[in-house]
CSV table of all heavy atoms in Angstrom, one decimal:
chain,number,residue,atom,x,y,z
A,942,LEU,N,7.1,-49.8,232.5
A,942,LEU,CA,8.0,-50.7,231.8
A,942,LEU,C,9.1,-49.8,231.1
A,942,LEU,O,8.8,-48.7,230.7
A,942,LEU,CB,7.3,-51.5,230.7
A,942,LEU,CG,6.1,-52.4,231.2
A,942,LEU,CD1,5.4,-53.0,230.0
A,942,LEU,CD2,6.6,-53.4,232.2
A,943,ARG,N,10.3,-50.4,231.0
A,943,ARG,CA,11.3,-49.8,230.1
A,943,ARG,C,10.8,-49.8,228.7
A,943,ARG,O,10.1,-50.7,228.3
A,943,ARG,CB,12.6,-50.7,230.2
A,943,ARG,CG,13.2,-50.8,231.5
A,943,ARG,CD,14.4,-51.7,231.5
A,943,ARG,NE,14.8,-52.1,232.8
A,943,ARG,CZ,15.4,-51.3,233.7
A,943,ARG,NH1,15.6,-50.1,233.5
A,943,ARG,NH2,15.7,-51.8,234.9
A,944,PRO,N,11.1,-48.7,228.0
A,944,PRO,CA,10.6,-48.7,226.6
A,944,PRO,C,11.2,-49.9,225.8
A,944,PRO,O,12.3,-50.3,226.0
A,944,PRO,CB,11.2,-47.4,226.0
A,944,PRO,CG,11.5,-46.6,227.2
A,944,PRO,CD,11.8,-47.5,228.3
A,945,GLY,N,10.4,-50.5,225.0
A,945,GLY,CA,10.8,-51.6,224.2
A,945,GLY,C,9.7,-52.1,223.3
A,945,GLY,O,8.6,-51.6,223.3
A,946,ASP,N,10.0,-53.1,222.5
A,946,ASP,CA,9.1,-53.7,221.6
A,946,ASP,C,8.5,-55.0,222.2
A,946,ASP,O,9.2,-56.0,222.3
A,946,ASP,CB,9.8,-54.0,220.3
A,946,ASP,CG,8.9,-54.5,219.2
A,946,ASP,OD1,7.7,-54.8,219.5
A,946,ASP,OD2,9.4,-54.7,218.1
A,947,TYR,N,7.3,-54.9,222.6
A,947,TYR,CA,6.6,-56.1,223.2
A,947,TYR,C,5.6,-56.7,222.3
A,947,TYR,O,4.7,-57.4,222.8
A,947,TYR,CB,5.9,-55.6,224.6
A,947,TYR,CG,6.9,-55.0,225.5
A,947,TYR,CD1,7.1,-53.6,225.7
A,947,TYR,CD2,7.8,-55.8,226.3
A,947,TYR,CE1,8.0,-53.1,226.6
A,947,TYR,CE2,8.7,-55.3,227.1
A,947,TYR,CZ,8.8,-54.0,227.3
A,947,TYR,OH,9.7,-53.4,228.2
A,948,ARG,N,5.8,-56.6,221.0
A,948,ARG,CA,4.9,-57.2,220.1
A,948,ARG,C,5.0,-58.7,220.1
A,948,ARG,O,4.0,-59.4,219.8
A,948,ARG,CB,5.1,-56.7,218.7
A,948,ARG,CG,4.5,-55.3,218.5
A,948,ARG,CD,4.8,-54.8,217.1
A,948,ARG,NE,6.2,-54.6,216.9
A,948,ARG,CZ,6.8,-54.0,215.9
A,948,ARG,NH1,6.1,-53.6,214.9
A,948,ARG,NH2,8.1,-53.8,215.9
A,949,GLU,N,6.2,-59.3,220.3
A,949,GLU,CA,6.4,-60.7,220.1
A,949,GLU,C,6.6,-61.4,221.5
A,949,GLU,O,6.8,-62.6,221.5
A,949,GLU,CB,7.7,-60.9,219.2
A,949,GLU,CG,7.5,-60.4,217.8
A,949,GLU,CD,6.4,-61.0,217.1
A,949,GLU,OE1,6.1,-62.2,217.2
A,949,GLU,OE2,5.7,-60.3,216.3
A,950,ARG,N,6.6,-60.7,222.6
A,950,ARG,CA,6.8,-61.3,223.9
A,950,ARG,C,6.1,-60.5,225.0
A,950,ARG,O,5.9,-59.3,224.8
A,950,ARG,CB,8.3,-61.5,224.2
A,950,ARG,CG,9.0,-60.2,224.5
A,950,ARG,CD,10.4,-60.4,224.9
A,950,ARG,NE,11.1,-59.2,225.2
A,950,ARG,CZ,11.1,-58.5,226.4
A,950,ARG,NH1,10.3,-58.9,227.4
A,950,ARG,NH2,11.7,-57.4,226.5
A,951,LEU,N,5.8,-61.2,226.0
A,951,LEU,CA,5.2,-60.5,227.2
A,951,LEU,C,6.3,-59.8,228.0
A,951,LEU,O,7.5,-60.3,228.0
A,951,LEU,CB,4.5,-61.5,228.1
A,951,LEU,CG,3.3,-62.2,227.5
A,951,LEU,CD1,2.8,-63.2,228.5
A,951,LEU,CD2,2.2,-61.2,227.2
A,952,PRO,N,6.0,-58.7,228.6
A,952,PRO,CA,7.0,-58.1,229.5
A,952,PRO,C,7.5,-59.1,230.6
A,952,PRO,O,6.6,-59.9,231.1
A,952,PRO,CB,6.3,-56.9,230.1
A,952,PRO,CG,5.2,-56.6,229.2
A,952,PRO,CD,4.8,-57.9,228.6
A,953,ARG,N,8.7,-59.0,231.0
A,953,ARG,CA,9.3,-59.9,232.0
A,953,ARG,C,9.8,-59.0,233.2
A,953,ARG,O,9.9,-57.8,233.0
A,953,ARG,CB,10.4,-60.7,231.4
A,953,ARG,CG,10.0,-61.6,230.3
A,953,ARG,CD,11.1,-62.5,229.8
A,953,ARG,NE,12.1,-61.8,229.0
A,953,ARG,CZ,12.2,-61.8,227.7
A,953,ARG,NH1,11.5,-62.6,227.0
A,953,ARG,NH2,13.2,-61.1,227.1
A,954,PRO,N,10.2,-59.6,234.3
A,954,PRO,CA,10.7,-58.8,235.4
A,954,PRO,C,11.8,-57.8,235.1
A,954,PRO,O,11.8,-56.7,235.6
A,954,PRO,CB,11.2,-59.9,236.4
A,954,PRO,CG,10.4,-61.1,236.1
A,954,PRO,CD,10.2,-61.0,234.6
A,955,GLU,N,12.7,-58.1,234.2
A,955,GLU,CA,13.8,-57.2,233.9
A,955,GLU,C,13.3,-56.0,233.1
A,955,GLU,O,14.0,-55.0,233.0
A,955,GLU,CB,14.9,-57.9,233.2
A,955,GLU,CG,14.5,-58.5,231.8
A,955,GLU,CD,14.1,-60.0,231.9
A,955,GLU,OE1,13.7,-60.5,233.1
A,955,GLU,OE2,14.1,-60.7,230.9
A,956,ASP,N,12.1,-56.0,232.6
A,956,ASP,CA,11.5,-54.9,231.9
A,956,ASP,C,10.8,-53.9,232.8
A,956,ASP,O,10.5,-52.8,232.4
A,956,ASP,CB,10.5,-55.4,230.9
A,956,ASP,CG,11.1,-56.3,229.9
A,956,ASP,OD1,12.2,-56.1,229.4
A,956,ASP,OD2,10.4,-57.4,229.6
A,957,VAL,N,10.6,-54.4,234.1
A,957,VAL,CA,9.7,-53.6,235.0
A,957,VAL,C,10.5,-52.7,235.9
A,957,VAL,O,11.5,-53.0,236.5
A,957,VAL,CB,8.9,-54.6,235.9
A,957,VAL,CG1,8.1,-53.8,236.9
A,957,VAL,CG2,8.1,-55.5,235.1
A,958,LEU,N,10.0,-51.4,235.9
A,958,LEU,CA,10.6,-50.4,236.8
A,958,LEU,C,9.8,-50.3,238.1
A,958,LEU,O,10.3,-50.1,239.2
A,958,LEU,CB,10.6,-49.0,236.2
A,958,LEU,CG,11.4,-48.9,234.9
A,958,LEU,CD1,11.2,-47.6,234.2
A,958,LEU,CD2,12.9,-49.1,235.2
A,959,LEU,N,8.5,-50.5,238.0
A,959,LEU,CA,7.6,-50.3,239.1
A,959,LEU,C,6.3,-51.0,238.8
A,959,LEU,O,5.8,-50.9,237.7
A,959,LEU,CB,7.3,-48.9,239.4
A,959,LEU,CG,6.2,-48.5,240.4
A,959,LEU,CD1,6.6,-48.9,241.8
A,959,LEU,CD2,5.9,-47.0,240.3
A,960,VAL,N,5.7,-51.7,239.8
A,960,VAL,CA,4.3,-52.3,239.7
A,960,VAL,C,3.4,-51.6,240.7
A,960,VAL,O,3.9,-51.3,241.8
A,960,VAL,CB,4.4,-53.8,239.9
A,960,VAL,CG1,3.0,-54.3,240.2
A,960,VAL,CG2,5.0,-54.5,238.8
A,961,VAL,N,2.2,-51.3,240.3
A,961,VAL,CA,1.2,-50.8,241.2
A,961,VAL,C,0.0,-51.7,241.2
A,961,VAL,O,-0.5,-52.0,240.2
A,961,VAL,CB,0.7,-49.3,240.8
A,961,VAL,CG1,-0.4,-48.9,241.7
A,961,VAL,CG2,1.9,-48.4,240.8
Side-chain angles (χ1 to χ4, degrees):
L942 303 176
R943 298 178 196 288
D946 184 354
Y947 299 104
R948 284 180 289 191
E949 301 297 325
R950 68 172 180 86
L951 295 176
R953 298 184 290 252
E955 60 269 19
D956 301 316
V957 179
L958 301 170
L959 168 69
V960 163
V961 176

